[in-house]
């Protein structure tokens, strides 16, 4: 099976210069959700139609095994698929078409859709959804229950606008029938565009089988067309992830006030307090306490029974077990051992203006309030730093030392 992702449009309704599909929901571009779901389903031959700011979109696509195809002028979704004609020349199996601005469709829904398409043997199947508010979407027109056409909102009659079954924009086509139908569509509509949706009527009139499967449920049918849609999508994605974590024994005090990206692991017994921001590629152990107001960024691991409290940011760091960083701290590029206490206001100064450097903190260390750890620096086990100490790589410390001052120096244990 081959897939064509439509990602050439500007996204005028976003009111920004950034291509719509590159707008991020919880740190990941909308297009990334589509591509990750395709990978989950196991689709390997993927083409993406790019156009508006194609360079930017192509740059993002480098992370994926996707071939970009250029649509120099954006003349509509039908025209976008025509661009893929040469690339799909040898295609035998069905061609999946997916607009790059539909990030919420789940892999399991797609699999169900693919199975139904195969079983019914139609030449074109549409994944539809029954929407509470169908406004703005193409409507699935049925006659006596039989799917006959897709009508765009702008071109629909009053009566058609009452239809609540909408087109997700995701289709499975027999390639031959698809390109034959695309050769016959026109642009005689309100937008003056070549609509992919018009292929349905063409195919039906020519005696091909067309079907619509209303398998997209709940929020899956949401497209990102405006900033408001993007905000709703982010919220839905986060809540989906939170629900999965809750099923595995994680407590969320206020799910709607917490943001968790996909690709996060959290152990059972951990409590996530409100107003936390947890990025992808984060692993949090069990029985931890997080937040309120904690920011845990990509590439971070946190051990069991650790507490990351209010206004603490942890970035690309590994934090051990039973660590306590309760208030106002920044840990960036840090490797923190077990049983460490990070005092209020302590920060790792990890950036020298050019490069990021690592801070190592040994087991049992007590970092005093307002300590600055100027990276690269390594704090041996059980060291204590005084309030306001500025610890640099020049600070000579051995296990159990107490260091104070600016720059920090060891205090004789005898003098206390
Ligand atoms: C489209 C469908 C509509 C459906 C909705 C659901 C058509 C005519 N309408 O409407 O029935 O309910 O999606 O998501 O297809 N694009 C290109 N090149 C173009 C035009 C668009 O690549 O020339 C891309 C856009 O970047 C976008 C996708 O195709 O990712 C869909 O285009 P968009 O303008 O958002 O279509 P809708 O109006 O949402
Ligand atoms: Ca859209």
């Amino acid at each position: 099976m081959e897939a064509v992702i439509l990602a050439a449009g500007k996204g005028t309704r976003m009111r920004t210069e950034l291509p719509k599909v590159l707008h991020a929901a919880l740190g990941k571009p909308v297009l990334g959700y589509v591509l990750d779901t395709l990978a989950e389903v196991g689709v390997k031959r993927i083409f993406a139609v790019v156009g508006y700011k194609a360079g930017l979109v192509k740059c993002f696509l480098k992370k994926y095994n996707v071939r970009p195809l250029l649509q120099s002028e954006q003349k509509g979704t039908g025209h976008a698929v025509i661009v893929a004609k040469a690339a799909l020349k040898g295609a035998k199996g069905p061609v999946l078409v997916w607009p790059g601005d539909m990030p919420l469709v789940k892999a399991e829904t797609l699999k169900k859709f693919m199975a139904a398409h195969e079983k019914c043997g139609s030449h074109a199947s549409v994944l539809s959804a029954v929407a509470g508010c169908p406004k703005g979407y193409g409507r699935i027109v049925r006659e006596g229950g039989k799917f006959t056409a897709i009508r765009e909102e702008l071109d629909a009659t009053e009566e058609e606008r009452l239809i609540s079954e909408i087109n997700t924009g995701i289709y499975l086509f027999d390639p031959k029938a698809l390109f034959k139908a695309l050769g016959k569509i026109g642009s005689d509509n309100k937008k003056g565009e070549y609509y992919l949706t018009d292929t349905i009527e063409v195919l039906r009139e020519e005696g091909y089988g067309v079907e619509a499967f209303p398998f997209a449920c709940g929020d899956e049918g949401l497209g990102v067309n405006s900033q408001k849609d993007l905000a709703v999508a982010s919220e839905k994605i986060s809540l989906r992830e939170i629900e999965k974590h809750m099923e595995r024994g994680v407590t969320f005090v206020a799910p709607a006030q917490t943001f968790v990206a996909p690709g996060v692991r959290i152990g059972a017994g951990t409590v996530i307090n409100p107003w936390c921001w947890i990025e992808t590629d984060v692993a949090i152990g069990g029985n931890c306490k997080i937040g309120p107001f904690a920011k845990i960024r990509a590439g971070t691991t946190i051990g069991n029974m650790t507490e990351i409290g209010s206004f603490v940011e942890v970035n690309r760091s590994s934090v051990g077990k039973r660590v306590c960083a309760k208030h106002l701290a920044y840990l960036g590029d840090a490797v923190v051992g077990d049983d460490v206490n990070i005092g209020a206001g302590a920060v790792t100064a990890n950036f020298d203006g050019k490069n990021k450097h690592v801070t190592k903190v040994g087991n049992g260390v007590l970092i005093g309030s307002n300590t600055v750890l100027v990276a690269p620096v390594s704090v041996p086990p059980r060291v204590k730093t005084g309030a306001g100490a500025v610890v640099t790589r020049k600070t000579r410390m051995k296990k159990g030392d107490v260091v104070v001052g600016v720059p920090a120096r060891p205090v004789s244990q005898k003098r206390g």
Side-chain angles (χ1 to χ4, degrees), residues 1-6 47 49 69 76-89 91-98 117 122-126 150 169-186 194-204 206 208-210:
M1 192 168 104
E2 340 227 350
V4 180
I5 311 299
L6 310 183
F47 301 94
V49 181
L69 303 169
T77 49
H79 181 254
V81 176
I82 292 175
V83 167
K85 190 174 176 181
L88 291 172
K89 207 162 174 228
K92 287 186 194 75
V95 172
L96 173 73
V97 177
W98 191 332
H117 172 75
S122 77
H123 294 88
S125 294
V126 178
I150 301 173
I170 297 175
Y171 319 78
L172 281 162
F173 285 106
D174 166 74
K176 272 206 184 112
L178 168 66
F179 290 107
K180 198 172 163 202
L182 281 172
K184 296 190 175 173
I185 61 167
Y194 293 90
Y195 288 166
L196 179 58
T197 45
D198 284 350
T199 56
I200 298 298
E201 249 174 313
V202 172
L203 288 171
R204 195 189 52 97
E206 303 222 336
Y208 288 97
V210 297

Side-chain angles (χ1 to χ4, degrees), residues 5-11 13 20-21 49-51 71 73-81 98-102 134 136-139 150-153 155 166-171 189 191 193-198 221-225:
I5 311 299
L6 310 183
K10 176 175 194 277
R13 288 166 280 175
K20 173 166 68 173
V21 294
V49 181
V50 299
Q71 184 194 22
E73 256 186 288
Q74 288 78 58
K75 298 187 199 164
T77 49
H79 181 254
V81 176
W98 191 332
D101 62 350
M102 294 293 292
Y137 294 92
R139 308 295 206 280
I150 301 173
R151 193 78 63 235
E152 290 308 294
E153 166 105 9
D155 307 296
I166 60 137
N167 169 27
T168 61
I170 297 175
Y171 319 78
N189 51 53
K191 276 190 161 173
E193 288 185 353
Y194 293 90
Y195 288 166
L196 179 58
T197 45
D198 284 350
L222 177 78
V224 174
N225 297 300

Side-chain angles (χ1 to χ4, degrees), residues 7-21:
K10 176 175 194 277
T12 314
R13 288 166 280 175
M14 298 303 285
R15 308 262 181 256
T16 63
E17 295 300 307
L18 187 69
K20 173 166 68 173
V21 294

Side-chain angles (χ1 to χ4, degrees), residues 150-167:
I150 301 173
R151 193 78 63 235
E152 290 308 294
E153 166 105 9
L154 283 177
D155 307 296
T157 61
E158 283 297 308
E159 204 181 327
E160 284 168 337
R161 283 188 192 167
L162 296 175
I163 300 171
S164 58
E165 187 180 357
I166 60 137
N167 169 27

Side-chain angles (χ1 to χ4, degrees), residues 345-368:
V347 302
T348 54
N350 59 331
F351 186 48
D352 63 10
K354 271 194 189 147
N355 299 305
K356 302 273 168 71
H357 300 280
V358 172
T359 299
K360 287 186 182 156
V361 178
N363 293 339
V365 165
L366 197 146
I367 301 289

